[in-house]
Amino acid sequence: MNVMESFSLKGKVALITGASYGIGFAIACALHDAGATIVFNDIKQELVDKGLAAYEEKGIKAHGYVCDVTDETAVNALVAQVEKEVGIIDILVNNAGIIKRIPMCEMTADQFRQVIDVDLNAPFICAKAVIPSMIKKGHGKIINICSMMSELGRETVSAYAAAKGGLKMLTKNIASEYGAHNIQCNGIGPGYIATPQTAPLREIQPDGSRHPFDQFILAKTPANRWGNPEDLAAPAVFLASDASNFVNGHILYVDGGILAYIGKQP
Ligand code: NAP
Ligand code: GCO
């Protein structure tokens, strides 16, 4: 087989959670370009509708559903509906995520739980919902969107780092437990990517200068730029395709080198 054919997703159904925009949207577009049928969800119908229009603009006939990924009953119903209306889910991308930037001692337990719920419990719920049919079908791909915070901490992101660190280990455990069923579970660890989630970190200051954190990230990243969601597209196709059938439990960092670099001398 020509090696490029191993990157084809023709005939595959991909569910990307929280993919009306941002990283999930870019990954979904890439999986479509490789041949997959795209299914996505969001919490609100208006966002699903906006997402459908955005996919339509790219010539993609996506299937959009309203579903809160933290709600196990709703996720199980979503998977059953997708299996009926579209087909068995071959590829799951656990992308939906939130962050709350609050100093730990000022964060309430409820706020901490909310982040853990979306960023860690939900990937567990979604993976659990799709694995039985993947086992029956004899193959499956699960891609968990981790983070640099799966490896590093920083002020104000305790819940997020705890969740993303846990997601790294959940990735390795799904790989360990279901690898024998030809299910590969890997992670993508994006660096700092320009999306609505990081917009507050890139706000232009009143004096017109770049946000201090923006300048910090540029100094810490060998590529000397923020990532774009599109930087994650081809790595996602790799992990969603037969090209990665012997890659399991791996976190692929797509970070411009930031995790490898001590940072530019100020
Ligand atoms: P984003 O712009 O905030 O988009 C997050 C998406 O998740 C939104 O569509 C959001 O929908 C959806 N979502 C949130 N809670 C949900 C729930 N309970 N059920 C269903 N959908 C839900 O984030 P992003 O920057 O694209 O990040 C996507 C993923 O990459 C996240 O897991 C994030 O942690 C991770 N990540 C981001 C970066 C970065 O620098 N941007 C770096 C590393 C990792 P609503 O709009 O309805 O809330
Ligand atoms: C932050 C950022 C990061 C990025 C990403 C880095 O406040 O530090 O939001 O957490 O979103 O996770 O990989």
Side-chain angles (χ1 to χ4, degrees), residues 99 101 147-149 154 157 160 190-192 197-198 201 213:
I99 191 167
R101 300 184 182 96
S147 160
M148 282 176 46
M149 277 44 219
R154 81 174 186 89
V157 297
Y160 184 83
Y192 279 85
Q197 191 243 52
T198 54
L201 307 175
F213 195 87

Side-chain angles (χ1 to χ4, degrees), residues 16 20 23 28 32 38 58 62 77 91 95 122 136 140 150 168 173 196 211 236 245 258 263 266:
I16 306 93
S20 298
I23 287 173
H32 168 269
I38 300 306
K58 292 228 170 214
I91 302 156
N95 166 77
K136 280 199 207 104
S150 297
K168 174 175 84 169
N173 213 76
H211 191 294
N245 281 352
I258 194 169

